[in-house]
Amino acid sequence: MSGKLAILGGEPVRKTPFPAYRTIGEEEKQAVMEVLDSGILSQFLGTWSPDFYGGPRVQRLEKEWSDYFGVKHAITVNSATSGLYAAVGAAGVGPGDEVIVSPYTMAASATAAVVNGAIPVFADIDPRTYCISAETIRERLSPHTKAIIVVDIFGYPADFDPIVRLARERGIVVIEDAAQAPGATRCGKWAGTLADIGVFSLNYHKTIHTGEGGVVVTDDDVLAERLQLIRNHAEVVVREKGTEDIVNLVGFNYRMTEIEAAIGLEQLKKLEGFVRARVELAGQLTKSLCELPALTTPDVERGVRHGYYVYTIRYDEKVHDVPRKVFAEALRAEGLPVSEGYVRPLYLEPMYQRRIAFGRDGFPFTYAGYRGRVSYERGICPTAERMHFSEVLCLTICHAGASSRDMRDATVIFEKVVDGAAELVHLDEAAMVQR
Ligand SMILES: *Cc1c(COP(=O)(O)O)cnc(C)c1O
């Protein structure tokens, strides 16, 4: 099927929007009403008391989360951002230390180091998985490395075994940012449980959500206790609790409310169904798109279940001699919501380029106790830059709200634009702006 491209004035393939992802139903509504009827919207106290660990629903969600994922401890928080900040703090990381992290991720993965006074050191990503790997991490190890934050980006669980091995030999803590990957697996193990600490997000556009929220998991009793303290005003609790190691136990309020916990309990029950829907629809898309020579569909290793938070395609602009920007614009004109790249490699942001975080003097980058050297120059992670600036196309249409028909439409759109690609060769970006 072909026809004149919509970007050149033809009829678009799709005239109705692709469905939005909505996960909240009657069950969540009912659960919230029960909390409201109870009158207790949160039951945390920032003192060493039975309520230090929160109310009944918060504790039930933690119990069910740890049972579901087969981990010893689950600690709810008010966002995955808070969870990452707490995780780096719990690991004992501070000024003078380095944290190796991916540049191709949501900002908080790296800011978690900065907030704790440490220096993010960016390792490049693997072009097939978009995750950092043992090889790229090894190049960035230094005597100052205290933690590694590995992100299961787009819902793809990174290859943790060699990373954890590398870290164990050196006493480095590995944190898994599984914000995008609940329900994904690698070799039969859940994403989020592949490192020393795992962090999940429950923000409103993740696979399951509570509006805002997060859960941190670990099998380590000491880390779990430190996470609970950081979540809830550690500085005034440690004396009575009798905690000896008070490093980084400065205390925040990262507490989840009973309302979010009640929603989370219902969402967790739905997780498996949501992930299956994503896997099924993504599989359908891959089956048809992998035939198109300009496109490289997700490369899923044997033994991996991709969570498909984002469906990514690598686009080779040499095949049709059409720049990615023009190709993407042509897809959008046909009614397909597609974005070019994901986030700019984080080190290109002003905080790193100008080395300004806390105060005017450049802390932590200029901290005299920091003996390492870090570069944030363009070019330090060439694969991340190439993926972002010229190859990656992102789709978020594979989810439980969508159908096979939607995947078929997406395929038809790609095929139509590929068939008409010759007409796009001379359509330069200036002409597109006028359109
Ligand atoms: C969404 C996200 C976060 C932050 O989650 P919040 O719950 O919004 O704070 C962290 N890391 C990654 C990779 C994310 O996608």
Side-chain angles (χ1 to χ4, degrees), residues 77-84 104-110 151-154 177-181 199-206 211-215 309 342:
V77 281
N78 58 3
S79 72
T81 299
S82 305
L84 287 162
Y104 209 38
T105 175
M106 190 260 172
S109 317
V151 185
D152 298 328
I153 198 71
F154 306 133
D177 180 346
Q180 304 187 353
V199 182
F200 295 93
S201 173
L202 293 169
N203 96 16
Y204 77 102
H205 52 75
K206 297 291 158 66
E212 303 286 354
V215 186
Y309 172 66
Y342 176 58

PDB file of all heavy atoms in Angstrom, residues 77-84 104-110 151-154 177-181 199-206 211-215 309 342, ligand 1:
ATOM      1  N   VAL A  77       8.909   4.716  48.632  1.00  0.00           N
ATOM      2  CA  VAL A  77       9.338   6.117  48.682  1.00  0.00           C
ATOM      3  C   VAL A  77       8.373   6.943  47.826  1.00  0.00           C
ATOM      4  O   VAL A  77       7.503   6.379  47.155  1.00  0.00           O
ATOM      5  CB  VAL A  77      10.792   6.299  48.177  1.00  0.00           C
ATOM      6  CG1 VAL A  77      11.800   5.902  49.227  1.00  0.00           C
ATOM      7  CG2 VAL A  77      11.040   5.504  46.901  1.00  0.00           C
ATOM      8  N   ASN A  78       8.537   8.255  47.855  1.00  0.00           N
ATOM      9  CA  ASN A  78       7.577   9.091  47.121  1.00  0.00           C
ATOM     10  C   ASN A  78       7.942   9.295  45.653  1.00  0.00           C
ATOM     11  O   ASN A  78       7.201   9.914  44.909  1.00  0.00           O
ATOM     12  CB  ASN A  78       7.372  10.433  47.840  1.00  0.00           C
ATOM     13  CG  ASN A  78       8.671  11.207  48.007  1.00  0.00           C
ATOM     14  OD1 ASN A  78       9.729  10.770  47.540  1.00  0.00           O
ATOM     15  ND2 ASN A  78       8.605  12.337  48.662  1.00  0.00           N
ATOM     16  N   SER A  79       9.081   8.772  45.225  1.00  0.00           N
ATOM     17  CA  SER A  79       9.433   8.783  43.797  1.00  0.00           C
ATOM     18  C   SER A  79      10.672   7.921  43.618  1.00  0.00           C
ATOM     19  O   SER A  79      11.400   7.642  44.583  1.00  0.00           O
ATOM     20  CB  SER A  79       9.728  10.200  43.294  1.00  0.00           C
ATOM     21  OG  SER A  79      10.964  10.665  43.801  1.00  0.00           O
ATOM     22  N   ALA A  80      10.922   7.524  42.392  1.00  0.00           N
ATOM     23  CA  ALA A  80      12.167   6.797  42.123  1.00  0.00           C
ATOM     24  C   ALA A  80      13.355   7.739  42.251  1.00  0.00           C
ATOM     25  O   ALA A  80      14.458   7.316  42.573  1.00  0.00           O
ATOM     26  CB  ALA A  80      12.130   6.170  40.742  1.00  0.00           C
ATOM     27  N   THR A  81      13.138   9.007  41.996  1.00  0.00           N
ATOM     28  CA  THR A  81      14.199   9.997  42.204  1.00  0.00           C
ATOM     29  C   THR A  81      14.657   9.943  43.657  1.00  0.00           C
ATOM     30  O   THR A  81      15.839   9.779  43.946  1.00  0.00           O
ATOM     31  CB  THR A  81      13.689  11.404  41.832  1.00  0.00           C
ATOM     32  OG1 THR A  81      13.322  11.397  40.446  1.00  0.00           O
ATOM     33  CG2 THR A  81      14.733  12.468  42.080  1.00  0.00           C
ATOM     34  N   SER A  82      13.687  10.038  44.581  1.00  0.00           N
ATOM     35  CA  SER A  82      14.018   9.913  46.010  1.00  0.00           C
ATOM     36  C   SER A  82      14.697   8.573  46.273  1.00  0.00           C
ATOM     37  O   SER A  82      15.652   8.490  47.053  1.00  0.00           O
ATOM     38  CB  SER A  82      12.755   9.984  46.863  1.00  0.00           C
ATOM     39  OG  SER A  82      12.025  11.150  46.597  1.00  0.00           O
ATOM     40  N   GLY A  83      14.192   7.539  45.642  1.00  0.00           N
ATOM     41  CA  GLY A  83      14.741   6.198  45.848  1.00  0.00           C
ATOM     42  C   GLY A  83      16.204   6.127  45.436  1.00  0.00           C
ATOM     43  O   GLY A  83      17.039   5.531  46.125  1.00  0.00           O
ATOM     44  N   LEU A  84      16.538   6.757  44.309  1.00  0.00           N
ATOM     45  CA  LEU A  84      17.929   6.764  43.842  1.00  0.00           C
ATOM     46  C   LEU A  84      18.811   7.600  44.765  1.00  0.00           C
ATOM     47  O   LEU A  84      19.937   7.206  45.092  1.00  0.00           O
ATOM     48  CB  LEU A  84      17.993   7.321  42.410  1.00  0.00           C
ATOM     49  CG  LEU A  84      17.460   6.385  41.325  1.00  0.00           C
ATOM     50  CD1 LEU A  84      17.144   7.164  40.043  1.00  0.00           C
ATOM     51  CD2 LEU A  84      18.468   5.274  41.027  1.00  0.00           C
ATOM     52  N   TYR A 104      22.667   8.051  29.164  1.00  0.00           N
ATOM     53  CA  TYR A 104      21.451   7.965  28.335  1.00  0.00           C
ATOM     54  C   TYR A 104      20.311   7.486  29.198  1.00  0.00           C
ATOM     55  O   TYR A 104      19.874   6.326  29.123  1.00  0.00           O
ATOM     56  CB  TYR A 104      21.699   7.008  27.161  1.00  0.00           C
ATOM     57  CG  TYR A 104      20.873   7.353  25.936  1.00  0.00           C
ATOM     58  CD1 TYR A 104      20.655   8.681  25.583  1.00  0.00           C
ATOM     59  CD2 TYR A 104      20.322   6.370  25.131  1.00  0.00           C
ATOM     60  CE1 TYR A 104      19.909   9.017  24.473  1.00  0.00           C
ATOM     61  CE2 TYR A 104      19.570   6.700  24.005  1.00  0.00           C
ATOM     62  CZ  TYR A 104      19.369   8.026  23.682  1.00  0.00           C
ATOM     63  OH  TYR A 104      18.619   8.349  22.578  1.00  0.00           O
ATOM     64  N   THR A 105      19.816   8.392  30.038  1.00  0.00           N
ATOM     65  CA  THR A 105      18.807   8.037  31.029  1.00  0.00           C
ATOM     66  C   THR A 105      18.135   9.295  31.530  1.00  0.00           C
ATOM     67  O   THR A 105      18.578  10.413  31.248  1.00  0.00           O
ATOM     68  CB  THR A 105      19.479   7.287  32.201  1.00  0.00           C
ATOM     69  OG1 THR A 105      18.517   7.038  33.235  1.00  0.00           O
ATOM     70  CG2 THR A 105      20.634   8.087  32.798  1.00  0.00           C
ATOM     71  N   MET A 106      17.085   9.099  32.290  1.00  0.00           N
ATOM     72  CA  MET A 106      16.423  10.216  32.944  1.00  0.00           C
ATOM     73  C   MET A 106      17.427  10.857  33.915  1.00  0.00           C
ATOM     74  O   MET A 106      18.213  10.145  34.556  1.00  0.00           O
ATOM     75  CB  MET A 106      15.204   9.643  33.674  1.00  0.00           C
ATOM     76  CG  MET A 106      14.273  10.655  34.200  1.00  0.00           C
ATOM     77  SD  MET A 106      14.605  10.853  35.951  1.00  0.00           S
ATOM     78  CE  MET A 106      13.574  12.257  36.278  1.00  0.00           C
ATOM     79  N   ALA A 107      17.390  12.164  34.027  1.00  0.00           N
ATOM     80  CA  ALA A 107      18.424  12.921  34.741  1.00  0.00           C
ATOM     81  C   ALA A 107      18.731  12.416  36.146  1.00  0.00           C
ATOM     82  O   ALA A 107      19.891  12.403  36.581  1.00  0.00           O
ATOM     83  CB  ALA A 107      18.012  14.394  34.809  1.00  0.00           C
ATOM     84  N   ALA A 108      17.701  11.970  36.875  1.00  0.00           N
ATOM     85  CA  ALA A 108      17.888  11.629  38.293  1.00  0.00           C
ATOM     86  C   ALA A 108      18.879  10.492  38.514  1.00  0.00           C
ATOM     87  O   ALA A 108      19.499  10.409  39.578  1.00  0.00           O
ATOM     88  CB  ALA A 108      16.544  11.272  38.925  1.00  0.00           C
ATOM     89  N   SER A 109      19.047   9.635  37.523  1.00  0.00           N
ATOM     90  CA  SER A 109      20.004   8.521  37.692  1.00  0.00           C
ATOM     91  C   SER A 109      21.386   9.061  38.029  1.00  0.00           C
ATOM     92  O   SER A 109      22.107   8.472  38.831  1.00  0.00           O
ATOM     93  CB  SER A 109      20.099   7.671  36.422  1.00  0.00           C
ATOM     94  OG  SER A 109      18.855   7.402  35.844  1.00  0.00           O
ATOM     95  N   ALA A 110      21.762  10.168  37.400  1.00  0.00           N
ATOM     96  CA  ALA A 110      23.093  10.744  37.638  1.00  0.00           C
ATOM     97  C   ALA A 110      23.066  11.788  38.748  1.00  0.00           C
ATOM     98  O   ALA A 110      24.013  11.903  39.525  1.00  0.00           O
ATOM     99  CB  ALA A 110      23.621  11.370  36.354  1.00  0.00           C
ATOM    100  N   VAL A 151      21.263   1.459  34.468  1.00  0.00           N
ATOM    101  CA  VAL A 151      19.854   1.750  34.180  1.00  0.00           C
ATOM    102  C   VAL A 151      19.309   0.734  33.173  1.00  0.00           C
ATOM    103  O   VAL A 151      19.918   0.508  32.127  1.00  0.00           O
ATOM    104  CB  VAL A 151      19.712   3.172  33.587  1.00  0.00           C
ATOM    105  CG1 VAL A 151      18.237   3.529  33.399  1.00  0.00           C
ATOM    106  CG2 VAL A 151      20.402   4.196  34.480  1.00  0.00           C
ATOM    107  N   ASP A 152      18.187   0.142  33.495  1.00  0.00           N
ATOM    108  CA  ASP A 152      17.511  -0.767  32.553  1.00  0.00           C
ATOM    109  C   ASP A 152      16.680   0.105  31.613  1.00  0.00           C
ATOM    110  O   ASP A 152      15.449   0.167  31.697  1.00  0.00           O
ATOM    111  CB  ASP A 152      16.600  -1.739  33.307  1.00  0.00           C
ATOM    112  CG  ASP A 152      17.375  -2.637  34.254  1.00  0.00           C
ATOM    113  OD1 ASP A 152      18.530  -2.974  33.950  1.00  0.00           O
ATOM    114  OD2 ASP A 152      16.801  -3.017  35.296  1.00  0.00           O
ATOM    115  N   ILE A 153      17.398   0.754  30.717  1.00  0.00           N
ATOM    116  CA  ILE A 153      16.737   1.804  29.939  1.00  0.00           C
ATOM    117  C   ILE A 153      15.738   1.218  28.937  1.00  0.00           C
ATOM    118  O   ILE A 153      15.979   0.162  28.359  1.00  0.00           O
ATOM    119  CB  ILE A 153      17.801   2.714  29.256  1.00  0.00           C
ATOM    120  CG1 ILE A 153      17.194   4.025  28.824  1.00  0.00           C
ATOM    121  CG2 ILE A 153      18.489   2.002  28.100  1.00  0.00           C
ATOM    122  CD1 ILE A 153      16.836   4.960  29.951  1.00  0.00           C
ATOM    123  N   PHE A 154      14.651   1.884  28.769  1.00  0.00           N
ATOM    124  CA  PHE A 154      13.543   1.492  27.875  1.00  0.00           C
ATOM    125  C   PHE A 154      12.844   0.204  28.329  1.00  0.00           C
ATOM    126  O   PHE A 154      12.006  -0.332  27.619  1.00  0.00           O
ATOM    127  CB  PHE A 154      14.027   1.344  26.415  1.00  0.00           C
ATOM    128  CG  PHE A 154      14.729   2.557  25.877  1.00  0.00           C
ATOM    129  CD1 PHE A 154      15.929   2.448  25.189  1.00  0.00           C
ATOM    130  CD2 PHE A 154      14.183   3.824  26.059  1.00  0.00           C
ATOM    131  CE1 PHE A 154      16.578   3.580  24.700  1.00  0.00           C
ATOM    132  CE2 PHE A 154      14.822   4.967  25.581  1.00  0.00           C
ATOM    133  CZ  PHE A 154      16.020   4.836  24.903  1.00  0.00           C
ATOM    134  N   ASP A 177      18.828   0.948  38.399  1.00  0.00           N
ATOM    135  CA  ASP A 177      17.702   1.850  38.173  1.00  0.00           C
ATOM    136  C   ASP A 177      16.728   1.111  37.248  1.00  0.00           C
ATOM    137  O   ASP A 177      16.898   1.093  36.030  1.00  0.00           O
ATOM    138  CB  ASP A 177      18.192   3.161  37.549  1.00  0.00           C
ATOM    139  CG  ASP A 177      17.057   4.149  37.276  1.00  0.00           C
ATOM    140  OD1 ASP A 177      15.874   3.733  37.328  1.00  0.00           O
ATOM    141  OD2 ASP A 177      17.356   5.324  36.996  1.00  0.00           O
ATOM    142  N   ALA A 178      15.733   0.492  37.887  1.00  0.00           N
ATOM    143  CA  ALA A 178      14.750  -0.307  37.139  1.00  0.00           C
ATOM    144  C   ALA A 178      13.443   0.461  36.990  1.00  0.00           C
ATOM    145  O   ALA A 178      12.372  -0.138  36.835  1.00  0.00           O
ATOM    146  CB  ALA A 178      14.521  -1.636  37.847  1.00  0.00           C
ATOM    147  N   ALA A 179      13.543   1.788  37.035  1.00  0.00           N
ATOM    148  CA  ALA A 179      12.335   2.627  36.955  1.00  0.00           C
ATOM    149  C   ALA A 179      11.469   2.249  35.760  1.00  0.00           C
ATOM    150  O   ALA A 179      10.244   2.263  35.831  1.00  0.00           O
ATOM    151  CB  ALA A 179      12.735   4.098  36.859  1.00  0.00           C
ATOM    152  N   GLN A 180      12.130   1.898  34.644  1.00  0.00           N
ATOM    153  CA  GLN A 180      11.384   1.640  33.411  1.00  0.00           C
ATOM    154  C   GLN A 180      11.141   0.149  33.185  1.00  0.00           C
ATOM    155  O   GLN A 180      10.563  -0.216  32.166  1.00  0.00           O
ATOM    156  CB  GLN A 180      12.166   2.221  32.220  1.00  0.00           C
ATOM    157  CG  GLN A 180      12.463   3.703  32.378  1.00  0.00           C
ATOM    158  CD  GLN A 180      13.076   4.327  31.130  1.00  0.00           C
ATOM    159  OE1 GLN A 180      13.406   3.639  30.175  1.00  0.00           O
ATOM    160  NE2 GLN A 180      13.218   5.650  31.151  1.00  0.00           N
ATOM    161  N   ALA A 181      11.565  -0.687  34.116  1.00  0.00           N
ATOM    162  CA  ALA A 181      11.605  -2.116  33.801  1.00  0.00           C
ATOM    163  C   ALA A 181      10.856  -3.067  34.737  1.00  0.00           C
ATOM    164  O   ALA A 181      11.186  -4.248  34.790  1.00  0.00           O
ATOM    165  CB  ALA A 181      13.065  -2.550  33.695  1.00  0.00           C
ATOM    166  N   VAL A 199      15.814   0.084  42.152  1.00  0.00           N
ATOM    167  CA  VAL A 199      14.877   1.198  42.337  1.00  0.00           C
ATOM    168  C   VAL A 199      13.806   1.160  41.245  1.00  0.00           C
ATOM    169  O   VAL A 199      14.128   1.132  40.051  1.00  0.00           O
ATOM    170  CB  VAL A 199      15.625   2.555  42.292  1.00  0.00           C
ATOM    171  CG1 VAL A 199      14.653   3.705  42.525  1.00  0.00           C
ATOM    172  CG2 VAL A 199      16.742   2.585  43.321  1.00  0.00           C
ATOM    173  N   PHE A 200      12.551   1.152  41.670  1.00  0.00           N
ATOM    174  CA  PHE A 200      11.414   1.169  40.751  1.00  0.00           C
ATOM    175  C   PHE A 200      10.708   2.520  40.840  1.00  0.00           C
ATOM    176  O   PHE A 200      10.666   3.129  41.902  1.00  0.00           O
ATOM    177  CB  PHE A 200      10.383   0.098  41.137  1.00  0.00           C
ATOM    178  CG  PHE A 200      10.872  -1.317  41.019  1.00  0.00           C
ATOM    179  CD1 PHE A 200      11.432  -1.968  42.116  1.00  0.00           C
ATOM    180  CD2 PHE A 200      10.758  -2.018  39.828  1.00  0.00           C
ATOM    181  CE1 PHE A 200      11.865  -3.282  42.016  1.00  0.00           C
ATOM    182  CE2 PHE A 200      11.183  -3.331  39.720  1.00  0.00           C
ATOM    183  CZ  PHE A 200      11.741  -3.975  40.821  1.00  0.00           C
ATOM    184  N   SER A 201      10.104   2.924  39.736  1.00  0.00           N
ATOM    185  CA  SER A 201       9.314   4.163  39.742  1.00  0.00           C
ATOM    186  C   SER A 201       7.834   3.830  39.633  1.00  0.00           C
ATOM    187  O   SER A 201       7.446   2.905  38.923  1.00  0.00           O
ATOM    188  CB  SER A 201       9.699   5.052  38.560  1.00  0.00           C
ATOM    189  OG  SER A 201       8.819   6.173  38.494  1.00  0.00           O
ATOM    190  N   LEU A 202       7.033   4.613  40.333  1.00  0.00           N
ATOM    191  CA  LEU A 202       5.571   4.505  40.189  1.00  0.00           C
ATOM    192  C   LEU A 202       5.014   5.840  39.734  1.00  0.00           C
ATOM    193  O   LEU A 202       3.915   6.224  40.127  1.00  0.00           O
ATOM    194  CB  LEU A 202       4.951   4.069  41.531  1.00  0.00           C
ATOM    195  CG  LEU A 202       5.307   2.638  41.977  1.00  0.00           C
ATOM    196  CD1 LEU A 202       4.868   2.395  43.422  1.00  0.00           C
ATOM    197  CD2 LEU A 202       4.655   1.608  41.064  1.00  0.00           C
ATOM    198  N   ASN A 203       5.789   6.571  38.931  1.00  0.00           N
ATOM    199  CA  ASN A 203       5.249   7.842  38.451  1.00  0.00           C
ATOM    200  C   ASN A 203       4.243   7.616  37.332  1.00  0.00           C
ATOM    201  O   ASN A 203       4.161   6.529  36.760  1.00  0.00           O
ATOM    202  CB  ASN A 203       6.358   8.851  38.125  1.00  0.00           C
ATOM    203  CG  ASN A 203       6.772   8.889  36.651  1.00  0.00           C
ATOM    204  OD1 ASN A 203       6.071   8.396  35.765  1.00  0.00           O
ATOM    205  ND2 ASN A 203       7.911   9.465  36.389  1.00  0.00           N
ATOM    206  N   TYR A 204       3.490   8.639  37.019  1.00  0.00           N
ATOM    207  CA  TYR A 204       2.257   8.433  36.252  1.00  0.00           C
ATOM    208  C   TYR A 204       2.436   7.931  34.841  1.00  0.00           C
ATOM    209  O   TYR A 204       1.474   7.489  34.233  1.00  0.00           O
ATOM    210  CB  TYR A 204       1.428   9.725  36.245  1.00  0.00           C
ATOM    211  CG  TYR A 204       1.969  10.766  35.284  1.00  0.00           C
ATOM    212  CD1 TYR A 204       1.370  10.982  34.056  1.00  0.00           C
ATOM    213  CD2 TYR A 204       3.084  11.516  35.614  1.00  0.00           C
ATOM    214  CE1 TYR A 204       1.884  11.914  33.168  1.00  0.00           C
ATOM    215  CE2 TYR A 204       3.600  12.444  34.742  1.00  0.00           C
ATOM    216  CZ  TYR A 204       2.991  12.641  33.526  1.00  0.00           C
ATOM    217  OH  TYR A 204       3.500  13.551  32.652  1.00  0.00           O
ATOM    218  N   HIS A 205       3.647   7.991  34.271  1.00  0.00           N
ATOM    219  CA  HIS A 205       3.720   7.375  32.938  1.00  0.00           C
ATOM    220  C   HIS A 205       4.565   6.112  32.884  1.00  0.00           C
ATOM    221  O   HIS A 205       4.922   5.655  31.807  1.00  0.00           O
ATOM    222  CB  HIS A 205       4.064   8.379  31.837  1.00  0.00           C
ATOM    223  CG  HIS A 205       5.265   9.204  32.101  1.00  0.00           C
ATOM    224  ND1 HIS A 205       6.522   8.702  31.981  1.00  0.00           N
ATOM    225  CD2 HIS A 205       5.387  10.490  32.480  1.00  0.00           C
ATOM    226  CE1 HIS A 205       7.386   9.655  32.272  1.00  0.00           C
ATOM    227  NE2 HIS A 205       6.726  10.736  32.587  1.00  0.00           N
ATOM    228  N   LYS A 206       4.813   5.527  34.027  1.00  0.00           N
ATOM    229  CA  LYS A 206       5.533   4.257  34.016  1.00  0.00           C
ATOM    230  C   LYS A 206       4.530   3.097  33.850  1.00  0.00           C
ATOM    231  O   LYS A 206       3.324   3.317  33.836  1.00  0.00           O
ATOM    232  CB  LYS A 206       6.352   4.107  35.305  1.00  0.00           C
ATOM    233  CG  LYS A 206       7.433   5.186  35.443  1.00  0.00           C
ATOM    234  CD  LYS A 206       8.553   5.035  34.424  1.00  0.00           C
ATOM    235  CE  LYS A 206       9.352   6.284  34.143  1.00  0.00           C
ATOM    236  NZ  LYS A 206      10.157   6.813  35.205  1.00  0.00           N
ATOM    237  N   GLY A 211       0.522   7.709  40.586  1.00  0.00           N
ATOM    238  CA  GLY A 211       0.630   9.167  40.446  1.00  0.00           C
ATOM    239  C   GLY A 211       2.092   9.535  40.556  1.00  0.00           C
ATOM    240  O   GLY A 211       2.766   9.792  39.570  1.00  0.00           O
ATOM    241  N   GLU A 212       2.590   9.568  41.783  1.00  0.00           N
ATOM    242  CA  GLU A 212       4.018   9.650  42.063  1.00  0.00           C
ATOM    243  C   GLU A 212       4.327   8.538  43.060  1.00  0.00           C
ATOM    244  O   GLU A 212       3.485   8.206  43.891  1.00  0.00           O
ATOM    245  CB  GLU A 212       4.392  11.000  42.699  1.00  0.00           C
ATOM    246  CG  GLU A 212       4.020  12.230  41.891  1.00  0.00           C
ATOM    247  CD  GLU A 212       4.894  12.472  40.677  1.00  0.00           C
ATOM    248  OE1 GLU A 212       5.899  11.758  40.481  1.00  0.00           O
ATOM    249  OE2 GLU A 212       4.552  13.391  39.896  1.00  0.00           O
ATOM    250  N   GLY A 213       5.523   8.013  42.997  1.00  0.00           N
ATOM    251  CA  GLY A 213       5.898   6.983  43.961  1.00  0.00           C
ATOM    252  C   GLY A 213       7.069   6.168  43.465  1.00  0.00           C
ATOM    253  O   GLY A 213       7.485   6.291  42.312  1.00  0.00           O
ATOM    254  N   GLY A 214       7.605   5.338  44.365  1.00  0.00           N
ATOM    255  CA  GLY A 214       8.717   4.479  43.992  1.00  0.00           C
ATOM    256  C   GLY A 214       8.913   3.413  45.045  1.00  0.00           C
ATOM    257  O   GLY A 214       8.352   3.500  46.145  1.00  0.00           O
ATOM    258  N   VAL A 215       9.687   2.400  44.703  1.00  0.00           N
ATOM    259  CA  VAL A 215      10.010   1.339  45.657  1.00  0.00           C
ATOM    260  C   VAL A 215      11.486   0.988  45.476  1.00  0.00           C
ATOM    261  O   VAL A 215      11.958   0.859  44.349  1.00  0.00           O
ATOM    262  CB  VAL A 215       9.161   0.069  45.428  1.00  0.00           C
ATOM    263  CG1 VAL A 215       9.433  -0.954  46.539  1.00  0.00           C
ATOM    264  CG2 VAL A 215       7.663   0.390  45.356  1.00  0.00           C
ATOM    265  N   TYR A 309       9.062  -0.469  27.894  1.00  0.00           N
ATOM    266  CA  TYR A 309       8.547   0.830  28.341  1.00  0.00           C
ATOM    267  C   TYR A 309       8.580   1.795  27.153  1.00  0.00           C
ATOM    268  O   TYR A 309       7.655   2.571  26.935  1.00  0.00           O
ATOM    269  CB  TYR A 309       9.420   1.337  29.486  1.00  0.00           C
ATOM    270  CG  TYR A 309       9.121   2.745  29.928  1.00  0.00           C
ATOM    271  CD1 TYR A 309       7.903   3.056  30.525  1.00  0.00           C
ATOM    272  CD2 TYR A 309      10.055   3.760  29.743  1.00  0.00           C
ATOM    273  CE1 TYR A 309       7.628   4.349  30.924  1.00  0.00           C
ATOM    274  CE2 TYR A 309       9.789   5.052  30.154  1.00  0.00           C
ATOM    275  CZ  TYR A 309       8.582   5.336  30.737  1.00  0.00           C
ATOM    276  OH  TYR A 309       8.317   6.621  31.137  1.00  0.00           O
ATOM    277  N   TYR A 342      16.191  10.204  22.605  1.00  0.00           N
ATOM    278  CA  TYR A 342      15.467  10.047  23.874  1.00  0.00           C
ATOM    279  C   TYR A 342      15.754  11.262  24.760  1.00  0.00           C
ATOM    280  O   TYR A 342      14.978  12.205  24.760  1.00  0.00           O
ATOM    281  CB  TYR A 342      15.887   8.723  24.526  1.00  0.00           C
ATOM    282  CG  TYR A 342      15.285   8.483  25.870  1.00  0.00           C
ATOM    283  CD1 TYR A 342      13.906   8.455  26.038  1.00  0.00           C
ATOM    284  CD2 TYR A 342      16.096   8.299  26.983  1.00  0.00           C
ATOM    285  CE1 TYR A 342      13.357   8.256  27.294  1.00  0.00           C
ATOM    286  CE2 TYR A 342      15.538   8.093  28.239  1.00  0.00           C
ATOM    287  CZ  TYR A 342      14.182   8.073  28.384  1.00  0.00           C
ATOM    288  OH  TYR A 342      13.644   7.882  29.620  1.00  0.00           O
TER     289      TYR A 342
HETATM  290  C1  LIG B   1      11.127   7.861  35.569  1.00  0.00           C
HETATM  291  C2  LIG B   1      12.537   7.544  35.849  1.00  0.00           C
HETATM  292  C3  LIG B   1      13.181   7.900  37.041  1.00  0.00           C
HETATM  293  C4  LIG B   1      12.531   8.785  38.061  1.00  0.00           C
HETATM  294  O1  LIG B   1      11.297   8.352  38.473  1.00  0.00           O
HETATM  295  P1  LIG B   1      10.353   9.304  39.345  1.00  0.00           P
HETATM  296  O2  LIG B   1       9.490   8.311  40.050  1.00  0.00           O
HETATM  297  O3  LIG B   1       9.605  10.144  38.373  1.00  0.00           O
HETATM  298  O4  LIG B   1      11.178  10.081  40.258  1.00  0.00           O
HETATM  299  C5  LIG B   1      14.471   7.496  37.261  1.00  0.00           C
HETATM  300  N1  LIG B   1      15.135   6.786  36.345  1.00  0.00           N
HETATM  301  C6  LIG B   1      14.575   6.439  35.166  1.00  0.00           C
HETATM  302  C7  LIG B   1      15.369   5.634  34.212  1.00  0.00           C
HETATM  303  C8  LIG B   1      13.268   6.822  34.884  1.00  0.00           C
HETATM  304  O5  LIG B   1      12.729   6.495  33.716  1.00  0.00           O
END
